[in-house]
């Protein structure tokens, strides 16, 4: 029956860095490759913090696969990296450049629309040579099966397509990974949520305010008490003529603390420490959001089923451990390894063996060890429980703990601790390293910032108003509208808020038969497709059709 | 498959482009001339034929030398392999009949006989809708109007088209005709590409045609009445049985409406008043 359908040797779903790497590597090996991207252009559906790394230990890098990449598609290299511990207006800064440079060949800030649309052109040219090519505006909505076996994909816009290899590089909300039962959207503690503002800078201001040359760039990280106790931190990266400023929090923490992500971003933007960089003329170009898988918990050690291989966020391959935030580089490596696995399997006459080979390569090339470090798993069993957290937190905040912090600073232990990749890998996901420790350090060792911030970030309705949407029918269905089941979405959704009527989720009190009930209502028009509500609320979550929904111009 | 698409330059009636004098007469000098918007549907139909069946798309017009840019616009914005402009003074001031005669002679002149002739649903200025069907009459080809979708059977040499029949209740009528045939696309026409291979070919063709449009004159053929062996008495003003007797100005639009911002707080009493009537109860 499926014989009547179009057939390609390989179909790659999603044209981000993972999909691009897979596609170009397949094309280089003469595999007829079709790439399907649901955005109007690659990058229009993507948001990232924005640093891409080339690791010394990795078998593949983006500029290895796309030689002109750094000159054409990225912003500035990160030449200095700082971590700021914040307690009120007191700040203690550490230079963590050595940690950043560990295993790093280079690292550049990127804006995804520019980066991915550049990749799109290269990928189309390369894959077209094989008889395939890249199509935008096509949403793959599921797997095509025959006799229970995965044989291809189904799309909103095209007839079903069969393939010998299906690479799902369709992002954090991968519909293919879920269709195959390889990922779910169940537990908030398996995810982070990031929100970001891209801020315009006047000509020459990036160089002047950050004291850097044209070919230099800076990364700043922020942690401490500026985020209402939510576990996570902030970042600022310099682009060519803009800044990427954002926050990333554990999603369970956002839910538990009932914090509004966009307000936490505003707390960072308006902190006096940032006044020196933002000046008096704050212009926000774009507000965006993204769900981030926590690879320590969800990186799938066996990300394949039959002909389907998962790559990048779709496989949970996003490493976020304290100050180490790496995703795109792992997606690139995984994409190229998936291609390599298929090419080998095909040459040995058994293309169905690609999945096993891919899994083996992820292990042997050290990718899995980075995504799910053994040291973290051991430390987590010891350190990630409430009793240990409250004991360490109480101790840190006690006079004795504070003396310890001061002594550690004198001995240089803090500098060492903050630049140790060994320690970063075992950092527990508790409030101790994110909130308590930075706050105590800033209180004991920090200096007061004297600048005053004049930054007035746009209100949420303005941020939504500035985004571009091609609105379609609702693509998310609220399955349970009770506040108990879905109320968390009202605060956690980055384009919704309590007492705000113009967002996605809204809480309402309705009267029924004399009693009152709190319910949640949903309007998907301003949706930024981050997927947060799929985890924190009871929804039936799909992407909009190809070319529809939000269109990021910066990303 | 060889498809020929007929087009015409018309004033750009879009807001901000068009200019009228005090009496409501169109100011041609101040209004840019563009490809008749409806003709782009016809060109998209021809492109769909090429994507599905291969072959060639020729875009043709009769008009002054400035129409070269109208042809370029079609090549750039949609698609064309080659462009044909039927142009000289003898053809000037033609009515729809003389234009149709000239166009039909031009189509007869193609080395490769067209399989399909496409036109858009009436021009934005004349709005007669006569030229296309009269051209088909001259060629003695079957005519299918208001086409919203169609398929070509190359083996049987037939076209099967869905046409929109508007009435109290709009209907879709399916008709079949032998090739060669003349097709008028409806503004509701939408090209449909349901396979990846079609979409990839479409993408290739779009990229190629944009590149070609940058040097469009390399792909342009201009024919005058001698090239077409046409008797000047039967074309242009002399060959036109009708003349435009007068032009009435377009009536001014009704008085402008004003929107007033309302303070949302002021609406609260209104909502409260209406509250009891709201809801399913």
């Amino acid at each position: 029956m499926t014989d009547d359908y179009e057939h390609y040797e390989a179909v790659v779903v999603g044209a981000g860095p993972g999909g691009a790497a897979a596609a170009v590597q397949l094309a280089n090996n003469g595999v007829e490759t079709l790439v399907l991207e649901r955005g109007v252009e690659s990058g229009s559906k993507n948001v990232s913090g924005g640093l891409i790394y080339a690791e010394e230990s990795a078998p593949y890098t983006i500029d290895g696969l796309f030689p002109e990449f750094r000159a054409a598609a990225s912003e500035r290299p990160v030449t200095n990296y700082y971590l700021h511990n914040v307690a009120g207006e007191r700040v203690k800064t550490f230079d963590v450049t050595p940690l950043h440079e560990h295993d790093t060949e280079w690292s550049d800030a990127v804006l995804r629309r520019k980066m991915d649309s550049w990749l799109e052109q290269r990928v189309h040219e390369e894959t077209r040579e094989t008889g395939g090519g890249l199509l935008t505006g096509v949403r793959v909505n599921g797997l095509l099966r025959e006799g229970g076996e995965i044989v291809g994909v189904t799309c909103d816009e095209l007839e079903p397509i069969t393939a010998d290899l299906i690479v799902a590089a369709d992002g954090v909300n991968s519909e293919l990974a879920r269709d195959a039962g390889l990922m779910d959207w169940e537990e908030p503690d398996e995810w982070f949520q990031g929100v970001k503002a891209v801020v315009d800078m006047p000509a020459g201001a990036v160089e002047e305010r950050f004291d850097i040359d044209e070919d230099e760039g800076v990364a700043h990280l922020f942690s401490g008490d500026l985020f209402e106790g939510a576990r996570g931190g902030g970042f600022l990266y310099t682009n060519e003529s803009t800044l990427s400023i954002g926050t990333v929090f554990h999603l369970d923490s956002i839910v538990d603390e009932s914090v509004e992500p966009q307000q936490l971003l505003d707390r960072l933007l308006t902190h006096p420490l940032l006044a020196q960089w933002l000046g008096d003329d704050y212009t926000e170009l774009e507000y965006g959001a993204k769900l981030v898988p926590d690879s320590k918990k969800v990186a799938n050690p066996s990300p394949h089923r039959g002909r389907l291989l998962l790559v990048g966020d779709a496989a949970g391959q996003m490493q976020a451990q304290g100050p180490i935030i790496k995703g795109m580089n792992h997606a690139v490596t995984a994409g190229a390894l998936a291609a390599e696995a298929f090419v080998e399997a095909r040459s040995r006459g058994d293309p169905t063996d690609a999945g096993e080979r891919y899994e083996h390569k992820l292990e042997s090339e050290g990718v899995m060890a980075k995504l799910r470090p053994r040291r973290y798993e051991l430390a987590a069993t010891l350190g990630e429980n409430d009793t240990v957290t409250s004991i360490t937190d109480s101790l840190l905040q006690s006079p004795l703990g504070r003396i310890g912090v001061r002594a550690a600073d004198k001995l240089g232990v803090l500098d060492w601790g903050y630049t140790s990749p060994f320690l970063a890998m075992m950092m527990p996901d508790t409030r101790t390293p994110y909130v308590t420790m930075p706050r105590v350090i800033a209180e004991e060792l920090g200096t007061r910032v004297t600048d005053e911030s004049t930054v007035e970030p746009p209100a949420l309705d303005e941020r939504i108003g500035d985004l571009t949407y091609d609105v379609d029918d609702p693509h998310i269905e609220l399955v349970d509208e009770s506040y108990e089941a879905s109320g968390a979405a009202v605060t956690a959704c980055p384009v919704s808020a309590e007492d705000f009527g113009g967002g996605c989720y809204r809480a309402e009190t309705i009267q029924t038969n004399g009693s009152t009930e709190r319910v949640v209502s949903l309007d998907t028009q301003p949706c930024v497709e981050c997927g947060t509500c799929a985890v924190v609320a009871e929804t039936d979550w799909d992407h909009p059709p190809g070319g529809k929904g939000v269109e990021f111009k910066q990303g | 498959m060889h498809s020929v698409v007929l087009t015409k330059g018309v004033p750009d009636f879009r807001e901000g482009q068009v200019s009228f004098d005090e009496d409501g007469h169109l100011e041609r000098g101040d209004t840019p001339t563009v490809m008749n918007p409806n003709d782009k549907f016809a060109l998209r139909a021809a492109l769909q034929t090429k994507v599905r069946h291969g072959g060639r798309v020729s875009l043709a017009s009769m008009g002054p030398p400035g129409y070269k840019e109208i042809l370029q616009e079609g090549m750039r914005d949609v698609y064309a392999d080659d462009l044909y402009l039927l142009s000289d003074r003898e053809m000037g001031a033609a009515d729809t009949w003389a234009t149709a005669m000239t166009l039909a002679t031009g189509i007869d002149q193609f080395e490769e006989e067209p399989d399909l002739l496409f036109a858009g649903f009436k021009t934005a200025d004349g709005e007669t809708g006569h030229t296309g069907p009269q051209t088909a009459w001259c060629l003695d080809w079957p005519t299918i109007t208001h086409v919203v979708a169609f398929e070509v059977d190359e083996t049987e040499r037939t076209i099967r088209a869905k046409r929109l029949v508007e009435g109290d209740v709009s209907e879709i009528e399916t008709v079949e005709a032998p090739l060669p045939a003349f097709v008028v696309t409806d503004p509701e026409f939408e090209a449909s590409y349901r396979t990846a291979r079609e979409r990839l070919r479409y993408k290739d063709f779009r990229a190629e045609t944009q590149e070609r449009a940058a040097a469009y004159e390399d792909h342009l053929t201009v024919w005058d009445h001698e090239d077409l062996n046409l008797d000047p008495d039967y074309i242009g003003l002399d060959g036109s049985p009708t003349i435009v007797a007068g032009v009435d100005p377009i009536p001014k639009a009704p008085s402008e409406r004003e929107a007033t911002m309302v303070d949302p707080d002021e609406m609260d009493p209104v909502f409260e008043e209406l509250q009891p009537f709201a809801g399913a109860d």
Side-chain angles (χ1 to χ4, degrees):
Chain A
M1 174 197 110
T2 56
D3 292 350
D4 294 340
Y5 295 133
E6 265 192 292
H7 178 83
Y8 287 86
E9 267 192 291
V11 170
V12 177
V13 183
V24 83
Q25 190 67 355
L26 287 164
N28 287 342
N29 285 281
V31 178
E32 181 198 39
T33 305
L34 174 69
V35 186
L36 300 173
E37 159 63 40
R38 71 187 177 88
V40 285
E41 183 179 64
S42 292
S44 65
K45 290 293 181 185
N46 303 78
V47 174
S48 65
L51 298 187
I52 185 164
Y53 285 80
E55 286 187 327
E56 285 163 0
S57 62
Y60 291 98
T61 59
I62 190 91
D63 62 327
L65 294 166
F66 300 93
E68 302 299 316
F69 177 84
R70 294 189 73 195
S74 74
E75 298 287 318
R76 289 169 183 269
V78 177
T79 45
N80 282 94
Y81 206 111
Y82 301 99
L83 190 145
H84 307 275
N85 294 285
V86 179
E89 291 177 357
R90 298 186 79 87
V91 177
K92 172 68 180 172
T93 300
F94 292 92
D95 183 347
V96 293
T97 311
L99 172 66
H100 166 74
E101 287 177 349
H102 170 75
D103 194 22
T104 300
E105 194 183 314
W106 56 264
S107 161
D108 287 354
V110 291
L111 290 168
R112 292 296 297 276
R113 183 70 183 259
K114 175 179 155 189
M115 169 182 133
D116 294 34
S117 60
W118 182 85
L119 289 172
E120 177 195 320
Q121 298 304 320
R122 308 286 89 70
V123 170
H124 179 63
E125 285 162 16
E126 298 282 335
T127 51
R128 196 78 190 102
E129 296 286 315
T130 69
L134 184 150
L135 293 173
T136 55
V138 177
R139 171 183 166 240
V140 172
N141 58 25
L143 293 162
L144 180 71
R145 291 181 172 84
E146 190 175 58
E149 295 289 312
I150 296 166
V151 295
V153 294
T154 56
C155 317
D156 285 355
E157 292 79 13
L158 301 176
E159 299 298 323
I161 299 163
T162 60
D164 302 332
L165 169 73
I166 301 145
V167 176
D170 52 343
V172 67
N173 301 313
S174 169
E175 287 169 90
L176 296 188
R178 278 148 188 99
D179 189 336
L182 293 168
M183 291 282 270
D184 64 36
W185 275 307
E186 299 295 334
E187 302 300 330
D189 69 352
E190 294 175 348
W191 307 89
F192 300 89
Q193 184 208 61
V195 296
K196 185 176 86 163
V198 178
V199 182
D200 194 31
M201 296 294 272
V206 175
E207 288 83 3
E208 196 182 311
R209 295 180 195 171
F210 291 87
D211 192 22
I212 51 175
D213 291 336
E214 262 181 24
D215 55 355
E216 292 178 324
V218 192
H220 293 273
L221 293 184
F222 309 90
S223 61
D225 71 353
L226 72 175
F227 301 120
E228 300 180 17
R231 293 194 333 277
F235 61 84
L236 181 156
Y237 305 137
T238 51
N239 302 317
E240 274 174 16
S241 60
T242 59
L243 303 177
S244 292
I245 306 177
T247 48
V248 181
F249 297 99
H250 282 274
L251 188 55
D252 57 328
S253 177
I254 289 176
V255 172
D256 295 346
E257 310 277 332
S258 295
V259 286
E260 303 277 2
Q262 85 282 354
Q263 289 176 7
L264 298 186
L265 173 64
D266 291 349
R267 289 181 69 135
L268 174 61
L269 290 168
T270 55
H271 193 277
L273 178 59
L274 274 71
Q276 57 182 315
W277 301 313
L278 295 179
D280 296 330
D281 44 7
Y282 182 82
T283 309
E284 195 170 297
L285 296 177
E286 186 171 87
Y287 170 74
K290 178 188 179 350
L291 208 58
V292 181
D294 184 349
S295 70
K296 302 192 295 295
K297 291 163 182 152
V298 294
N300 194 322
S302 186
H304 59 95
R305 180 144 302 168
R307 303 179 191 186
L308 175 73
L309 275 59
L310 311 183
V311 157
D313 272 4
Q317 292 163 344
M318 167 74 212
Q319 181 188 3
Q321 285 148 338
I324 301 175
I325 306 164
K326 292 178 177 176
M328 291 179 273
N329 62 311
H330 294 312
V332 167
T333 300
L337 290 176
E340 203 181 82
F342 177 75
V343 171
E344 281 176 17
R346 185 183 67 159
S347 70
R348 282 166 177 74
D350 184 11
T352 61
D353 192 34
E356 287 298 330
R357 287 175 182 275
Y358 171 54
E359 178 178 338
H360 178 72
K361 284 173 188 292
L362 288 174
E363 197 65 49
S364 64
E365 294 289 355
V367 180
M368 282 315 291
K370 291 171 189 164
L371 297 172
R372 301 190 80 133
R374 285 278 300 150
R375 281 199 294 279
Y376 165 79
E377 284 181 19
L378 290 172
T381 40
L382 294 172
E384 280 182 25
N385 66 63
D386 291 347
T387 320
V388 175
T389 304
S390 19
I391 292 171
T392 30
D393 273 15
S394 317
L395 180 64
L396 262 174
Q397 294 174 82
S398 71
L400 186 64
R402 286 167 187 277
I403 290 167
V405 164
R406 286 200 293 270
D409 181 50
K410 286 214 175 71
L411 293 168
V413 174
L414 289 180
D415 279 314
W416 172 78
Y418 272 115
T419 52
S420 160
F422 179 81
L423 282 188
M425 291 286 232
M426 31 192 300
M427 199 166 124
D429 276 340
T430 63
R431 67 173 182 266
T432 311
Y434 284 114
V435 185
T436 319
M437 178 92 158
R439 181 168 59 78
V440 172
I441 288 173
E443 281 168 356
E444 293 305 315
L445 307 169
T447 46
R448 192 171 294 279
V449 181
T450 52
D451 291 342
E452 276 188 31
S453 174
T454 57
V455 171
E456 285 183 23
L460 187 52
D461 59 341
E462 294 173 77
R463 283 176 164 157
I464 291 170
D466 287 342
L467 285 166
T468 304
Y469 295 97
D470 186 345
V471 175
D472 198 59
D473 296 335
H475 58 280
I476 307 169
E477 192 191 332
L478 194 56
V479 178
D480 186 340
E481 60 170 25
S482 72
Y483 195 83
E484 293 69 34
S486 301
V490 179
T491 47
C493 166
V495 287
S496 303
E498 289 284 358
D499 304 320
F500 173 63
C504 280
Y505 286 90
R506 208 168 49 239
E508 291 171 323
T509 304
I510 55 164
Q511 312 237 337
T512 45
N513 299 331
S515 65
T516 60
E517 195 187 340
R518 273 199 101 190
V519 297
V520 177
S521 66
L522 166 64
D523 170 14
T524 65
Q525 289 198 12
C527 176
V528 288
E529 298 164 38
C530 67
T532 297
C533 62
V535 183
V536 306
E538 291 297 321
T539 62
D540 193 355
W541 205 103
D542 288 318
H543 286 117
K548 298 290 182 181
V550 71
E551 180 191 335
F552 292 111
K553 308 276 187 187
Q554 306 286 331
Chain B
M1 285 276 133
H2 182 201
S3 301
V4 177
V5 180
L6 302 178
T7 189
K8 183 184 181 221
V10 296
D12 189 347
F13 286 109
R14 285 174 306 172
E15 186 90 29
Q17 300 291 324
V18 69
S19 173
F20 294 103
D21 69 12
E22 283 171 0
D23 300 329
H25 289 287
L26 180 73
E27 294 199 287
R28 286 232 174 219
D30 294 339
T31 303
T33 302
V34 294
M35 182 176 174
N36 178 42
N38 277 341
D39 298 346
K40 290 198 173 161
F41 295 101
L43 201 45
R44 286 184 200 118
L47 174 55
Q48 177 186 289
T49 309
K50 169 152 175 145
V51 167
R52 291 186 183 173
H53 305 283
R56 184 157 75 100
V57 174
S58 305
L59 180 60
S61 187
M62 189 198 88
Y67 271 31
K68 285 176 187 174
E69 282 163 26
I70 303 302
L71 297 173
Q72 182 194 22
E73 181 188 335
M75 183 179 252
R76 183 191 64 223
D77 290 359
V78 186
Y79 185 84
D81 289 284
D82 37 36
L83 307 173
Y84 291 86
L85 181 61
L86 283 52
S87 182
D88 73 15
R89 285 185 180 279
E90 300 293 349
M91 297 176 188
D95 69 356
T96 60
W97 174 253
T99 306
M101 286 282 288
T102 312
L103 287 170
T105 313
I107 288 157
D108 233 16
Q109 191 88 348
F110 282 111
E111 276 176 31
E112 178 191 353
E113 194 198 21
D115 302 288
L116 284 161
L117 179 64
F118 291 96
F121 172 59
K122 72 187 183 185
T123 52
D125 52 357
E127 291 207 333
T128 65
H130 290 172
T131 310
Q134 286 175 158
T135 309
W137 184 86
C138 293
L139 293 163
D140 198 19
W141 289 4
T143 295
I144 312 175
T145 60
H146 294 288
V147 169
V148 292
F150 68 96
E151 278 171 21
V152 173
D153 187 327
E154 284 182 276
T155 331
E156 296 293 321
R157 297 275 305 154
T158 55
I159 173 170
R160 199 180 170 84
K162 286 188 162 62
R163 54 190 304 272
L164 185 66
V165 186
E166 288 202 42
D168 291 341
V169 179
S170 294
E171 291 177 343
I172 299 280
E173 181 183 74
T174 303
V175 295
E176 199 175 278
L179 299 181
F182 171 62
V183 170
V184 180
T185 50
D186 192 88
E188 296 288 314
F189 174 83
E190 261 186 72
S192 166
Y193 303 110
R194 293 286 300 173
T195 69
R197 283 194 172 78
E198 283 179 358
R199 287 203 183 199
L200 288 166
R201 268 203 296 275
Y202 172 83
K203 192 170 164 171
D204 287 346
F205 292 156
R206 285 285 301 131
E208 285 167 23
T209 201
Q210 280 166 355
E211 207 170 296
R212 208 161 33 231
Y216 73 100
E217 288 188 281
D218 296 350
H219 309 276
L220 173 73
T221 304
V222 181
W223 282 327
D224 61 17
H225 77 277
E226 286 177 356
D227 295 324
L228 300 176
N229 197 22
L230 278 165
D231 182 340
D233 289 345
Y234 291 90
I235 59 169
L237 186 60
D238 293 348
S240 294
T242 62
I243 54 160
V244 177
V247 178
D248 289 327
I250 296 167
K252 283 220 164 83
S255 62
E256 287 178 11
R257 291 189 300 174
E258 264 184 36
T260 319
M261 290 299 288
V262 179
D263 180 355
D265 293 340
E266 284 176 20
M267 293 302 289
D268 283 349
V270 181
F271 289 138
E272 271 163 36
E273 195 82 353
L274 290 170
Q275 185 78 40
F277 306 102
D281 300 337

